[in-house]
Structures are given as C-alpha cells and as structure tokens.
Amino acid sequence: MTDSVDPSDLEDQAIEMLVHLHSGRATTADHLAYDNWCQRSAFHAHAASRAEALWGAFPLTQKARQFVAPPPEKRRKPARALWAAGMAACVAIVVFSAALQRPWSALYADHVTDPGERRELRLEDGSRLWMNGDTVLSVNYSHNQRGITLYQGEALFEVAKDSSRPFIVHAAQGDVQAIGTRFDVDQRGDKVTVQVSEGIVQLSSGGETLRLPAGQSTAYRQGLAPQMAVEVDVQDVATWQRGKLIFNARPLGEVLAELDRYIPGVLYLTDETLAARRISGTFEVDDPHAALNALEQTQPLRITRLPLLTLVRPKR
C-alpha cells in the first residue's frame, strides 16, 4: 500500500462491503474477508472506520426514523441483541427503501409514478395534469366539486373553467383552489409549495386564506398558515414538465432533493454542512446521473453509486 492510493477509493470499497454484509446474503467467509481487508494497512483501517461511521449514521435518516418496531416478544431478549436487530432493521430500510419511499396511500391511490417517470393525465372535464416522478395522487370528481388529493410528490395543473364545480387540490391538510389557471403543487413530507404561472389560485391552510396571482409562490406546512408570497419567473415554474431542471443559486440540499425524484433508491448527503452550498445550473430530467456527474466535477463532492443507494460526500 502506498500514499498514491486515493483514500476515497478505499472508502468506496469499504462501503460496498458493508452493504453486502448487511444485505442478509453475507456468509461467514464474507465477514472474515472484510476483517482481513481492514487489517491490510493503516489506510484500509482508516477507510473502514470512516465507512462504518457513515453506516452508523443511517439509522438517523428520515427513512429510518419512520421505522416502527414490532411489539416486544413476551420473552425479553438481551439489550445487545435488541440493539443489533434494530440496527439491522434501520439499515435494511435505508438501503432497500425504494419500495418504502411512498406513503401507504400509494396502495389505494388512483395514480402513482415511479422515480424518473413523468405522466400526463387528461381529466373528464378537459383539465390536464402532469405528474412528476415519485408522485402519488387520487382524482375525486363529484357533481359539485372537482377534487385532487396529492399524497406525495409534484403535479402541474392546467384547469378547465367550470364555475359550477370548483377545482381544488388537497395536500397536507391544505386546499389550493384554482380560478381558471395553471399552477404547480409540490408536496415533500408535511411541506407544500405552490407556484402559479397563469391565473389565480386561492390557498387555504391553518385557518388562513391567501390569493396567489401568476408569478407568485408560497409554501405552507401541515396545519399552519401559508408563508408570505414571493415572486417567481413564470418561465421557471414546473420546468421539469419540459424536461429541464433549472437551479439558480439553490441550496445543494434542495438540488439533491429534486434529483432524488428521478433516481431509484436513496440519495443521501453524508455531510449536512454542505446542504447550504449554493448551486446553479441546467440539467436534463431524463439524465439525473449526468447532473450528479456535473456536481462532482464542479463542486467539492464525491459521488458513490451503489444498488438503491447513492452517497454524496465531501471530496477530500
């Protein structure tokens, strides 16, 4: 082993081995091979230590925190065994969470898109909507109302006028009512962002009502009043529908959250101090890996791609 070896390459190797060791397919020989690899040199040992520290942080991620442990068995298990079982469960959720990234509503929703998929829907009244990747929604039309329930993800709406039946998007206990308009609704967890490119919408949340004309945007959290509206360029609203992702001095954390919609599995930023770093650029929706490559080439970042797991780390 020489100093010419890139330590990050060794970390990548260590992470790949840890993924396999926690996959449920590892044998005793695999564990011994990992132990021997760690002892090959001080560089290997240091890389393994850093990889294990990163692995230990996975149970603290949002996906892992959503894990609900099964009821304890009548016969109490040793604390160490319980910790190991919990750790294994958290790791399994993080690494193999592609099927767990959607809410339970995906089981009974009318329409669901996969990561990276975009879909156009033409509704019975002539309205149209476009679903972004990893989006879950239902259409609920009645004789006196046209309703859309957005459980997760992002959708762009182009609404046909019908004064007798209001068009309302329900998201995170808030309502977005269209008044002959084109607008985008983006729900991430309990936060909803609304951007208007044509017409006017009326947003109701937390007991407060706010009217948004074209060229304005706001956001609200579940059960809370909308934030103060801000101006947006109508040309930049829902650029994903045109196949483009445009970022103008956006925080890296937000950029990665957007790219996560188009990449199967988990996209994980290992160092939150990088989340606020400002990023500008234009990327193709259909090639999110090219966007990651561009970030790796222009920013102090290193991208490690594993099955169902993409790690974004500081470049050393």
Side-chain angles (χ1 to χ4, degrees):
M1 184 71 192
T2 67
D3 293 338
S4 63
V5 175
D6 187 343
S8 294
D9 289 338
L10 291 179
E11 288 178 30
D12 289 350
Q13 294 176 36
I15 291 170
E16 289 182 18
M17 285 186 281
L18 286 174
V19 168
H20 178 65
L21 293 181
H22 290 89
S23 68
R25 303 187 304 272
T27 64
T28 301
D30 293 328
H31 285 272
L32 289 175
Y34 176 70
D35 291 339
N36 291 334
W37 185 91
C38 294
Q39 297 172 20
R40 286 179 58 181
S41 74
F43 296 97
H44 287 76
H46 181 66
S49 177
R50 288 181 59 85
E52 289 169 4
L54 172 61
W55 198 256
F58 283 159
L60 304 178
T61 63
Q62 181 180 0
K63 294 291 187 299
R65 286 195 296 267
Q66 294 172 353
F67 172 70
V68 178
E73 298 179 4
K74 293 182 180 180
R75 184 175 181 178
R76 188 179 181 86
K77 293 183 179 181
R80 182 176 180 83
L82 287 173
W83 178 90
M87 180 69 170
C90 290
V91 167
I93 288 174
V94 174
V95 179
F96 302 104
S97 64
L100 300 177
Q101 291 181 353
R102 294 173 177 159
W104 287 109
S105 54
L107 298 176
Y108 53 80
D110 294 334
H111 304 281
V112 179
T113 55
D114 293 325
E117 178 187 3
R118 287 169 290 152
R119 184 186 308 169
E120 178 184 353
L121 302 178
R122 293 180 179 269
L123 305 180
E124 63 183 52
D125 65 327
S127 297
R128 294 194 297 173
L129 69 86
W130 291 264
M131 299 172 64
N132 203 348
D134 205 16
T135 295
V136 181
L137 60 79
S138 289
V139 179
N140 311 291
Y141 273 31
S142 67
H143 69 281
N144 60 359
Q145 185 180 110
R146 298 171 291 170
I148 303 291
T149 301
L150 180 63
Y151 301 107
Q152 171 181 298
E154 184 174 16
L156 173 66
F157 301 89
E158 189 174 272
V159 182
K161 292 184 178 181
D162 184 347
S163 58
S164 65
R165 291 196 301 169
F167 188 100
I168 302 176
V169 179
H170 310 282
Q173 297 184 3
D175 294 334
V176 184
Q177 181 174 341
I179 306 176
T181 189
R182 182 183 174 97
F183 63 101
D184 183 271
V185 181
D186 183 1
Q187 179 174 346
R188 301 171 188 264
D190 69 342
K191 182 180 179 181
V192 178
T193 301
V194 180
Q195 299 183 84
V196 184
S197 54
E198 292 181 14
I200 301 172
V201 303
Q202 180 171 291
L203 194 160
S204 301
S205 178
E208 300 288 338
T209 299
L210 177 67
R211 289 174 71 88
L212 283 179
Q216 289 197 353
S217 172
T218 189
Y220 67 89
R221 291 192 179 277
Q222 183 171 313
L224 300 180
Q227 300 173 3
M228 183 179 297
V230 297
E231 292 187 0
V232 294
D233 187 338
V234 295
Q235 298 300 318
D236 291 340
V237 175
T239 57
W240 56 267
Q241 187 261 341
R242 305 194 299 270
K244 301 289 185 181
L245 294 177
I246 301 175
F247 303 110
N248 183 15
R250 290 272 297 278
L252 175 62
E254 294 183 12
V255 171
L256 294 178
E258 188 67 32
L259 291 175
D260 193 31
R261 280 201 171 105
Y262 307 100
I263 299 174
V266 177
L267 180 60
Y268 179 52
L269 180 63
T270 68
D271 187 340
E272 287 298 324
T273 61
L274 292 173
R277 188 178 184 88
R278 296 287 172 171
I279 302 296
S280 296
T282 300
F283 307 105
E284 298 289 334
V285 166
D286 294 329
D287 195 359
H289 291 290
L292 290 178
N293 290 339
L295 289 175
E296 188 172 30
Q297 292 168 9
T298 61
Q299 304 295 323
L301 304 173
R302 182 178 179 88
I303 312 295
T304 301
R305 297 172 177 81
L306 300 168
L308 296 182
L309 177 62
T310 301
L311 300 176
V312 182
R313 295 180 286 156
K315 184 179 294 184
R316 295 188 297 153

